[in-house]
Amino acid sequence: MKTETRKEEIIKTAATLFKEKGYSAVTMRDLATAMGMKAASLYNHISSKQEILKEIIISLAEEFTEGIEVIYNSNSNSLDKLSQIIALHVKITTNNTSGMASLNNDWMHLEDQLAYYLKLRNNYEAIFLSIIKEGISASEIKNLNPETIMFSMLSTLRSLFLWIPKKEALNANDLANNLSAILIQGINK
Amino acid sequence: MKTETRKEEIIKTAATLFKEKGYSAVTMRDLATAMGMKAASLYNHISSKQEILKEIIISLAEEFTEGIEVIYNSNSNSLDKLSQIIALHVKITTNNTSGMASLNNDWMHLEDQLAYYLKLRNNYEAIFLSIIKEGISASEIKNLNPETIMFSMLSTLRSLFLWIPKKEALNANDLANNLSAILIQGINK
DNA sequence: ACACTAAACTAACACTTGTTAGTTTGTTGC
DNA sequence: GCAACAAACTAACAAGTGTTAGTTTAGTGT
Protein backbone atom coordinates (compact mmCIF):
# COMPACT_ATOMS: atom_id res chain seq x y z
CA MET A 1 0.00 0.00 0.00
CA LYS A 2 3.06 2.24 0.21
CA THR A 3 5.06 1.88 -2.99
CA GLU A 4 2.19 1.69 -5.44
CA THR A 5 4.34 3.60 -7.86
CA ARG A 6 4.79 0.66 -10.27
CA LYS A 7 1.05 0.20 -10.64
CA GLU A 8 0.64 3.90 -11.22
CA GLU A 9 3.32 3.84 -13.89
CA ILE A 10 1.44 1.11 -15.70
CA ILE A 11 -1.82 3.03 -15.51
CA LYS A 12 -0.18 6.18 -16.77
CA THR A 13 1.49 4.37 -19.65
CA ALA A 14 -1.76 2.64 -20.47
CA ALA A 15 -3.55 5.98 -20.58
CA THR A 16 -1.17 7.36 -23.19
CA LEU A 17 -1.64 4.26 -25.34
CA PHE A 18 -5.41 4.35 -24.92
CA LYS A 19 -5.35 7.96 -26.01
CA GLU A 20 -3.63 7.13 -29.27
CA LYS A 21 -5.51 4.01 -30.35
CA GLY A 22 -8.41 3.54 -27.98
CA TYR A 23 -8.86 0.97 -25.22
CA SER A 24 -9.91 -1.93 -27.46
CA ALA A 25 -7.03 -1.55 -29.89
CA VAL A 26 -4.34 -1.62 -27.19
CA THR A 27 -3.24 -5.12 -26.22
CA MET A 28 -1.63 -6.17 -22.99
CA ARG A 29 1.46 -6.97 -25.07
CA ASP A 30 1.50 -3.42 -26.43
CA LEU A 31 1.33 -2.12 -22.89
CA ALA A 32 4.02 -4.52 -21.70
CA THR A 33 6.35 -3.47 -24.50
CA ALA A 34 5.83 0.17 -23.64
CA MET A 35 6.69 -0.69 -20.03
CA GLY A 36 9.74 -2.71 -21.08
CA MET A 37 8.47 -6.03 -19.75
CA LYS A 38 6.46 -9.08 -20.78
CA ALA A 39 2.67 -9.12 -20.73
CA ALA A 40 2.41 -11.67 -17.96
CA SER A 41 4.51 -9.48 -15.68
CA LEU A 42 1.86 -6.79 -15.70
CA TYR A 43 -0.31 -9.06 -13.63
CA ASN A 44 2.03 -8.73 -10.68
CA HIS A 45 0.68 -5.19 -10.38
CA ILE A 46 -2.80 -5.09 -11.84
CA SER A 47 -5.57 -7.65 -11.84
CA SER A 48 -6.98 -7.13 -15.33
CA LYS A 49 -7.11 -4.84 -18.33
CA GLN A 50 -10.52 -3.73 -17.14
CA GLU A 51 -9.11 -2.59 -13.83
CA ILE A 52 -6.74 -0.21 -15.60
CA LEU A 53 -9.58 1.44 -17.44
CA LYS A 54 -11.60 1.72 -14.26
CA GLU A 55 -8.73 3.36 -12.38
CA ILE A 56 -8.26 5.91 -15.15
CA ILE A 57 -11.88 6.87 -15.64
CA ILE A 58 -13.56 6.65 -12.25
CA SER A 59 -11.04 8.78 -10.39
CA LEU A 60 -11.42 11.52 -13.00
CA ALA A 61 -15.19 11.33 -12.94
CA GLU A 62 -15.17 11.67 -9.16
CA GLU A 63 -12.85 14.65 -9.41
CA PHE A 64 -15.32 16.41 -11.69
CA THR A 65 -18.22 15.59 -9.42
CA GLU A 66 -16.51 17.01 -6.35
CA GLY A 67 -15.40 20.08 -8.29
CA ILE A 68 -18.78 21.04 -9.63
CA GLU A 69 -20.49 20.50 -6.30
CA VAL A 70 -18.17 22.98 -4.63
CA ILE A 71 -18.83 25.48 -7.41
CA TYR A 72 -22.57 24.96 -7.27
CA ASN A 73 -22.69 25.54 -3.52
CA SER A 74 -20.55 28.67 -3.59
CA ASN A 75 -22.27 32.04 -3.58
CA SER A 76 -20.94 33.37 -6.86
CA ASN A 77 -23.33 34.53 -9.54
CA SER A 78 -24.13 32.18 -12.40
CA LEU A 79 -21.69 33.58 -14.95
CA ASP A 80 -18.88 33.31 -12.40
CA LYS A 81 -19.86 29.74 -11.72
CA LEU A 82 -19.62 28.96 -15.43
CA SER A 83 -16.16 30.51 -15.53
CA GLN A 84 -15.18 28.35 -12.59
CA ILE A 85 -16.44 25.26 -14.40
CA ILE A 86 -14.30 26.20 -17.38
CA ALA A 87 -11.29 26.58 -15.09
CA LEU A 88 -12.06 23.20 -13.51
CA HIS A 89 -11.97 21.47 -16.88
CA VAL A 90 -8.79 23.23 -17.93
CA LYS A 91 -7.08 22.27 -14.68
CA ILE A 92 -8.08 18.61 -14.62
CA THR A 93 -7.32 18.17 -18.31
CA THR A 94 -3.94 19.84 -18.00
CA ASN A 95 -2.99 17.46 -15.21
CA ASN A 96 -4.12 14.31 -17.00
CA THR A 97 -4.55 14.76 -20.73
CA SER A 98 -4.36 11.08 -21.57
CA GLY A 99 -6.82 10.05 -18.91
CA MET A 100 -9.32 12.53 -20.29
CA ALA A 101 -9.10 10.85 -23.67
CA SER A 102 -10.15 7.55 -22.09
CA LEU A 103 -12.90 9.24 -20.12
CA ASN A 104 -14.34 10.68 -23.31
CA ASN A 105 -13.82 7.83 -25.73
CA ASP A 106 -13.74 4.60 -23.78
CA TRP A 107 -16.25 4.94 -20.95
CA MET A 108 -18.55 2.48 -22.72
CA HIS A 109 -16.01 -0.29 -22.14
CA LEU A 110 -16.35 -0.01 -18.40
CA GLU A 111 -18.25 -3.09 -17.39
CA ASP A 112 -18.95 -3.37 -13.67
CA GLN A 113 -18.50 0.37 -13.14
CA LEU A 114 -20.48 1.53 -16.14
CA ALA A 115 -23.64 2.21 -14.17
CA TYR A 116 -21.73 4.12 -11.53
CA TYR A 117 -19.96 6.20 -14.16
CA LEU A 118 -23.24 7.08 -15.85
CA LYS A 119 -24.69 8.09 -12.51
CA LEU A 120 -21.80 10.49 -11.94
CA ARG A 121 -22.08 11.90 -15.44
CA ASN A 122 -25.82 12.44 -15.23
CA ASN A 123 -25.40 14.12 -11.87
CA TYR A 124 -22.70 16.40 -13.28
CA GLU A 125 -24.84 17.44 -16.22
CA ALA A 126 -27.85 18.05 -14.00
CA ILE A 127 -25.89 20.46 -11.82
CA PHE A 128 -24.40 22.18 -14.86
CA LEU A 129 -27.88 22.65 -16.28
CA SER A 130 -29.18 24.02 -12.98
CA ILE A 131 -26.51 26.70 -13.00
CA ILE A 132 -27.46 27.76 -16.52
CA LYS A 133 -31.18 27.83 -15.68
CA GLU A 134 -30.56 29.91 -12.58
CA GLY A 135 -28.53 32.30 -14.70
CA ILE A 136 -31.39 32.68 -17.12
CA SER A 137 -33.89 33.26 -14.30
CA ALA A 138 -31.60 35.89 -12.81
CA SER A 139 -31.34 37.58 -16.23
CA GLU A 140 -27.58 37.08 -16.32
CA ILE A 141 -27.76 34.69 -19.25
CA LYS A 142 -29.65 35.06 -22.51
CA ASN A 143 -32.92 33.20 -22.70
CA LEU A 144 -31.72 30.51 -25.10
CA ASN A 145 -32.32 26.77 -24.88
CA PRO A 146 -30.39 25.76 -21.71
CA GLU A 147 -29.57 22.29 -22.99
CA THR A 148 -28.09 23.71 -26.16
CA ILE A 149 -25.98 26.12 -24.14
CA MET A 150 -24.71 23.29 -21.98
CA PHE A 151 -24.06 21.06 -24.95
CA SER A 152 -22.05 23.75 -26.65
CA MET A 153 -19.91 24.53 -23.62
CA LEU A 154 -19.45 20.92 -22.63
CA SER A 155 -18.42 19.90 -26.13
CA THR A 156 -15.61 22.40 -26.05
CA LEU A 157 -14.55 21.49 -22.54
CA ARG A 158 -14.63 17.76 -23.24
CA SER A 159 -12.42 18.26 -26.28
CA LEU A 160 -9.74 20.09 -24.36
CA PHE A 161 -7.63 16.95 -24.16
CA LEU A 162 -7.12 17.19 -27.92
CA TRP A 163 -6.12 20.79 -27.78
CA ILE A 164 -4.06 21.34 -24.68
CA PRO A 165 -1.11 19.12 -25.67
CA LYS A 166 -0.61 21.14 -28.86
CA LYS A 167 -0.59 24.48 -27.07
CA GLU A 168 1.60 24.15 -24.05
CA ALA A 169 2.68 27.68 -24.83
CA LEU A 170 -0.54 28.93 -23.28
CA ASN A 171 -0.62 28.43 -19.54
CA ALA A 172 -3.73 27.11 -17.88
CA ASN A 173 -4.90 30.50 -16.61
CA ASP A 174 -4.64 32.21 -19.97
CA LEU A 175 -6.46 29.39 -21.69
CA ALA A 176 -9.28 29.41 -19.14
CA ASN A 177 -9.64 33.16 -19.50
CA ASN A 178 -9.62 33.00 -23.28
CA LEU A 179 -12.23 30.30 -23.29
CA SER A 180 -14.43 32.13 -20.82
CA ALA A 181 -14.36 35.16 -23.07
CA ILE A 182 -15.27 33.18 -26.16
CA LEU A 183 -17.87 30.90 -24.65
CA ILE A 184 -19.60 33.58 -22.61
CA GLN A 185 -19.19 36.82 -24.52
CA GLY A 186 -19.18 35.37 -28.03
CA ILE A 187 -16.94 36.38 -30.87
CA ASN A 188 -19.08 39.02 -32.58
CA LYS A 189 -17.48 42.42 -32.26
CA MET B 1 -22.31 -1.85 -60.13
CA LYS B 2 -26.07 -1.26 -60.15
CA THR B 3 -27.55 -2.90 -57.06
CA GLU B 4 -24.88 -1.92 -54.56
CA THR B 5 -27.62 -1.66 -51.99
CA ARG B 6 -26.46 -4.72 -50.02
CA LYS B 7 -22.97 -3.30 -49.57
CA GLU B 8 -24.44 -0.01 -48.49
CA GLU B 9 -26.63 -1.77 -45.95
CA ILE B 10 -23.57 -3.42 -44.47
CA ILE B 11 -21.71 -0.14 -44.26
CA LYS B 12 -24.66 1.57 -42.63
CA THR B 13 -25.10 -1.22 -40.11
CA ALA B 14 -21.38 -1.20 -39.40
CA ALA B 15 -21.49 2.53 -38.76
CA THR B 16 -24.15 2.15 -36.07
CA LEU B 17 -22.13 -0.58 -34.38
CA PHE B 18 -18.92 1.46 -34.64
CA LYS B 19 -20.72 4.37 -33.05
CA GLU B 20 -21.67 2.34 -29.99
CA LYS B 21 -18.45 0.44 -29.32
CA GLY B 22 -15.79 1.83 -31.60
CA TYR B 23 -14.23 0.24 -34.69
CA SER B 24 -11.79 -2.02 -32.83
CA ALA B 25 -14.37 -3.49 -30.50
CA VAL B 26 -16.76 -4.51 -33.27
CA THR B 27 -16.00 -7.91 -34.79
CA MET B 28 -17.00 -9.15 -38.18
CA ARG B 29 -19.17 -11.69 -36.36
CA ASP B 30 -20.95 -8.86 -34.51
CA LEU B 31 -21.59 -7.16 -37.81
CA ALA B 32 -22.76 -10.37 -39.45
CA THR B 33 -25.20 -11.05 -36.60
CA ALA B 34 -26.61 -7.55 -36.92
CA MET B 35 -27.07 -8.20 -40.63
CA GLY B 36 -28.65 -11.61 -40.02
CA MET B 37 -25.94 -13.60 -41.73
CA LYS B 38 -22.63 -15.36 -41.08
CA ALA B 39 -19.33 -13.49 -41.00
CA ALA B 40 -17.93 -15.16 -44.10
CA SER B 41 -20.94 -14.01 -46.13
CA LEU B 42 -20.00 -10.39 -45.60
CA TYR B 43 -17.05 -10.93 -47.91
CA ASN B 44 -19.36 -11.40 -50.87
CA HIS B 45 -19.98 -7.66 -50.60
CA ILE B 46 -16.95 -6.05 -49.02
CA SER B 47 -13.29 -6.88 -49.29
CA SER B 48 -12.18 -6.22 -45.70
CA LYS B 49 -13.11 -4.62 -42.38
CA GLN B 50 -10.75 -1.81 -43.28
CA GLU B 51 -12.66 -1.06 -46.45
CA ILE B 52 -15.83 -0.47 -44.45
CA LEU B 53 -14.13 2.10 -42.28
CA LYS B 54 -12.63 3.79 -45.31
CA GLU B 55 -16.00 4.02 -47.06
CA ILE B 56 -17.58 5.58 -43.98
CA ILE B 57 -14.91 8.15 -43.23
CA ILE B 58 -13.47 9.26 -46.56
CA SER B 59 -16.79 10.07 -48.18
CA LEU B 60 -17.71 12.25 -45.21
CA ALA B 61 -14.36 13.98 -45.16
CA GLU B 62 -14.69 14.78 -48.84
CA GLU B 63 -18.17 16.13 -48.28
CA PHE B 64 -16.81 18.56 -45.68
CA THR B 65 -13.98 19.61 -47.94
CA GLU B 66 -16.29 20.39 -50.84
CA GLY B 67 -18.70 22.20 -48.55
CA ILE B 68 -16.18 24.51 -46.95
CA GLU B 69 -14.56 25.38 -50.26
CA VAL B 70 -17.87 26.56 -51.66
CA ILE B 71 -18.43 28.66 -48.53
CA TYR B 72 -14.95 30.09 -48.60
CA ASN B 73 -15.27 31.17 -52.23
CA SER B 74 -18.68 32.76 -51.79
CA ASN B 75 -18.88 36.50 -51.30
CA SER B 76 -20.56 36.54 -47.91
CA ASN B 77 -18.94 38.35 -45.00
CA SER B 78 -16.98 36.34 -42.47
CA LEU B 79 -19.70 35.97 -39.85
CA ASP B 80 -22.10 34.71 -42.50
CA LYS B 81 -19.49 32.22 -43.64
CA LEU B 82 -19.18 30.93 -40.09
CA SER B 83 -22.95 30.50 -39.90
CA GLN B 84 -22.83 28.59 -43.15
CA ILE B 85 -20.14 26.31 -41.73
CA ILE B 86 -22.36 25.63 -38.74
CA ALA B 87 -25.24 24.79 -41.06
CA LEU B 88 -22.95 22.51 -43.06
CA HIS B 89 -22.04 20.50 -39.97
CA VAL B 90 -25.64 20.29 -38.82
CA LYS B 91 -26.77 19.08 -42.22
CA ILE B 92 -24.08 16.44 -42.75
CA THR B 93 -24.37 15.17 -39.18
CA THR B 94 -28.17 14.97 -39.37
CA ASN B 95 -27.90 12.83 -42.50
CA ASN B 96 -25.28 10.45 -41.12
CA THR B 97 -25.00 10.54 -37.36
CA SER B 98 -23.30 7.17 -37.04
CA GLY B 99 -20.76 7.88 -39.71
CA MET B 100 -19.77 11.06 -37.93
CA ALA B 101 -19.00 9.03 -34.82
CA SER B 102 -16.50 6.96 -36.79
CA LEU B 103 -15.03 10.04 -38.41
CA ASN B 104 -14.40 11.54 -35.01
CA ASN B 105 -13.34 8.50 -33.03
CA ASP B 106 -11.86 5.98 -35.41
CA TRP B 107 -9.98 7.92 -38.07
CA MET B 108 -6.68 6.72 -36.59
CA HIS B 109 -7.51 3.16 -37.64
CA LEU B 110 -7.51 4.09 -41.29
CA GLU B 111 -4.36 2.53 -42.65
CA ASP B 112 -3.74 3.16 -46.33
CA GLN B 113 -6.02 6.20 -46.35
CA LEU B 114 -4.77 7.77 -43.14
CA ALA B 115 -2.45 10.20 -44.90
CA TYR B 116 -5.15 11.24 -47.32
CA TYR B 117 -7.63 11.77 -44.49
CA LEU B 118 -5.15 13.92 -42.57
CA LYS B 119 -4.52 15.97 -45.68
CA LEU B 120 -8.24 16.66 -46.03
CA ARG B 121 -8.57 17.52 -42.35
CA ASN B 122 -5.60 19.88 -42.34
CA ASN B 123 -6.93 21.57 -45.45
CA TYR B 124 -10.34 21.97 -43.82
CA GLU B 125 -8.91 23.52 -40.70
CA ALA B 126 -6.67 25.85 -42.71
CA ILE B 127 -9.65 27.23 -44.60
CA PHE B 128 -11.70 27.56 -41.41
CA LEU B 129 -8.84 29.48 -39.81
CA SER B 130 -8.52 31.77 -42.84
CA ILE B 131 -12.17 32.73 -42.56
CA ILE B 132 -11.74 33.63 -38.89
CA LYS B 133 -8.60 35.64 -39.57
CA GLU B 134 -10.26 37.53 -42.39
CA GLY B 135 -13.15 38.30 -40.03
CA ILE B 136 -10.75 39.71 -37.47
CA SER B 137 -8.98 41.80 -40.11
CA ALA B 138 -12.32 43.13 -41.30
CA SER B 139 -13.26 43.99 -37.68
CA GLU B 140 -16.27 41.69 -37.80
CA ILE B 141 -14.82 39.32 -35.24
CA LYS B 142 -13.25 40.14 -31.88
CA ASN B 143 -9.48 40.14 -31.82
CA LEU B 144 -9.09 36.90 -29.85
CA ASN B 145 -6.72 34.05 -30.57
CA PRO B 146 -8.02 32.65 -33.92
CA GLU B 147 -6.95 29.10 -33.15
CA THR B 148 -8.83 29.14 -29.88
CA ILE B 149 -11.93 30.43 -31.63
CA MET B 150 -11.71 27.68 -34.21
CA PHE B 151 -11.04 25.03 -31.59
CA SER B 152 -14.06 26.09 -29.61
CA MET B 153 -16.42 26.14 -32.58
CA LEU B 154 -15.06 22.94 -34.08
CA SER B 155 -15.34 21.07 -30.79
CA THR B 156 -19.01 21.84 -30.62
CA LEU B 157 -19.61 21.03 -34.28
CA ARG B 158 -17.67 17.77 -34.10
CA SER B 159 -19.70 16.67 -31.09
CA LEU B 160 -23.02 17.19 -32.85
CA PHE B 161 -23.30 13.47 -33.55
CA LEU B 162 -23.71 12.91 -29.81
CA TRP B 163 -26.37 15.52 -29.48
CA ILE B 164 -28.54 15.40 -32.57
CA PRO B 165 -29.95 11.89 -32.00
CA LYS B 166 -31.28 12.95 -28.58
CA LYS B 167 -33.03 16.03 -29.90
CA GLU B 168 -34.91 15.06 -33.01
CA ALA B 169 -37.55 17.47 -31.78
CA LEU B 170 -35.43 20.34 -33.04
CA ASN B 171 -35.23 20.45 -36.79
CA ALA B 172 -31.95 21.12 -38.53
CA ASN B 173 -32.68 24.76 -39.24
CA ASP B 174 -33.63 25.63 -35.69
CA LEU B 175 -30.58 23.89 -34.33
CA ALA B 176 -28.24 25.65 -36.74
CA ASN B 177 -29.78 29.01 -35.85
CA ASN B 178 -29.57 28.34 -32.12
CA LEU B 179 -25.96 27.32 -32.40
CA SER B 180 -25.06 30.31 -34.50
CA ALA B 181 -26.54 32.57 -31.86
CA ILE B 182 -24.66 30.91 -29.03
CA LEU B 183 -21.32 30.44 -30.75
CA ILE B 184 -21.22 33.87 -32.34
CA GLN B 185 -23.12 36.20 -30.02
CA GLY B 186 -22.27 34.47 -26.74
CA ILE B 187 -24.62 33.84 -23.87
CA ASN B 188 -23.98 36.90 -21.75
CA LYS B 189 -27.07 39.08 -21.62
C1' DA C 1 -34.94 -27.25 -68.96
C1' DC C 2 -30.73 -24.67 -68.54
C1' DA C 3 -26.99 -21.60 -67.71
C1' DC C 4 -26.00 -17.58 -64.95
C1' DT C 5 -25.55 -15.08 -61.00
C1' DA C 6 -26.16 -12.98 -56.37
C1' DA C 7 -25.84 -14.15 -51.91
C1' DA C 8 -25.97 -17.12 -48.50
C1' DC C 9 -23.68 -21.22 -46.27
C1' DT C 10 -19.92 -24.68 -43.70
C1' DA C 11 -15.36 -25.52 -42.45
C1' DA C 12 -11.16 -24.22 -41.60
C1' DC C 13 -6.79 -21.38 -41.39
C1' DA C 14 -3.15 -18.85 -38.96
C1' DC C 15 -2.74 -15.56 -35.66
C1' DT C 16 -3.85 -12.71 -31.65
C1' DT C 17 -6.26 -12.02 -27.39
C1' DG C 18 -6.35 -11.73 -22.04
C1' DT C 19 -4.94 -14.42 -18.49
C1' DT C 20 -2.88 -18.22 -15.32
C1' DA C 21 0.69 -21.23 -13.27
C1' DG C 22 4.91 -21.95 -11.89
C1' DT C 23 9.76 -20.36 -11.80
C1' DT C 24 13.85 -17.32 -11.60
C1' DT C 25 16.18 -13.10 -10.30
C1' DG C 26 17.86 -9.46 -7.47
C1' DT C 27 17.58 -6.64 -3.45
C1' DT C 28 16.86 -5.84 1.52
C1' DG C 29 17.00 -6.77 6.64
C1' DC C 30 18.65 -9.82 10.04
C1' DG D 1 24.52 -16.50 4.66
C1' DC D 2 19.76 -16.75 4.63
C1' DA D 3 14.80 -15.80 4.68
C1' DA D 4 11.55 -12.82 2.56
C1' DC D 5 9.70 -10.48 -0.99
C1' DA D 6 8.79 -7.71 -5.07
C1' DA D 7 8.99 -8.10 -9.71
C1' DA D 8 10.51 -9.98 -13.54
C1' DC D 9 10.49 -14.30 -16.46
C1' DT D 10 8.88 -18.73 -19.66
C1' DA D 11 5.30 -21.54 -21.24
C1' DA D 12 0.94 -22.39 -22.10
C1' DC D 13 -4.29 -22.05 -22.22
C1' DA D 14 -8.90 -21.43 -24.29
C1' DA D 15 -11.33 -18.28 -26.73
C1' DG D 16 -11.77 -15.05 -30.25
C1' DT D 17 -9.85 -12.59 -34.51
C1' DG D 18 -10.16 -11.44 -39.76
C1' DT D 19 -10.23 -13.90 -43.72
C1' DT D 20 -10.21 -17.72 -47.48
C1' DA D 21 -11.87 -21.75 -50.11
C1' DG D 22 -15.21 -24.27 -51.73
C1' DT D 23 -20.21 -25.35 -51.74
C1' DT D 24 -25.26 -24.74 -51.67
C1' DT D 25 -29.44 -22.23 -52.56
C1' DA D 26 -32.73 -19.63 -54.91
C1' DG D 27 -34.17 -16.53 -58.36
C1' DT D 28 -33.79 -14.64 -63.47
C1' DG D 29 -33.48 -14.50 -68.42
C1' DT D 30 -33.35 -17.43 -72.52
Side-chain angles (χ1 to χ4, degrees), chain A residues 7-24:
Chain A
K7 179 174 181 176
E8 285 165 357
E9 271 183 75
I10 290 173
I11 291 172
K12 196 173 163 186
T13 303
T16 72
L17 296 182
F18 293 168
K19 184 189 178 191
E20 279 161 30
K21 308 172 40 174
Y23 174 76
S24 304

Side-chain angles (χ1 to χ4, degrees), chain B residues 6-7 9-11 13-15 17-18 21-56:
Chain B
R6 205 81 181 107
K7 178 173 182 177
E9 271 185 74
I10 290 172
I11 291 173
T13 303
L17 295 182
F18 293 168
K21 309 171 42 176
Y23 174 76
S24 304
V26 174
T27 70
M28 294 304 275
R29 285 164 183 81
D30 290 338
L31 176 54
T33 301
M35 286 293 297
M37 58 173 72
K38 293 299 169 70
S41 306
L42 295 168
Y43 290 82
N44 284 320
H45 307 282
I46 51 101
S47 67
S48 67
K49 191 186 179 191
Q50 270 293 310
E51 189 206 359
I52 299 176
L53 188 65
K54 180 201 82 185
E55 295 278 339
I56 293 171

Side-chain angles (χ1 to χ4, degrees), chain A residues 76-144:
Chain A
S76 314
N77 64 38
S78 301
L79 284 175
D80 279 349
K81 285 180 181 172
L82 291 184
S83 287
Q84 287 167 39
I85 290 175
I86 292 169
L88 177 70
H89 278 259
V90 171
K91 182 183 143 226
I92 293 177
T93 305
T94 301
N95 290 336
N96 191 352
T97 309
S98 307
M100 286 303 298
S102 299
L103 178 72
N104 276 279
N105 298 330
D106 287 317
W107 56 268
M108 71 285 276
H109 300 117
L110 289 171
E111 291 174 4
D112 295 342
Q113 286 80 15
L114 179 56
Y116 175 55
Y117 165 76
L118 291 175
K119 196 185 107 193
L120 292 180
R121 193 177 70 177
N122 289 337
N123 178 244
Y124 185 87
E125 294 183 2
I127 294 176
F128 200 142
L129 203 53
S130 292
I131 293 175
I132 292 172
K133 284 179 177 169
E134 288 173 11
I136 293 175
S137 294
S139 291
E140 295 173 47
I141 295 176
K142 285 181 188 164
N143 189 15
L144 299 164

Side-chain angles (χ1 to χ4, degrees), chain A residues 154-171:
Chain A
L154 220 32
S155 296
T156 299
L157 298 176
R158 283 180 175 151
S159 303
L160 279 171
F161 74 93
L162 293 169
W163 182 248
I164 286 183
K166 296 193 205 162
K167 297 278 151 185
E168 28 190 332
L170 281 182
N171 73 29

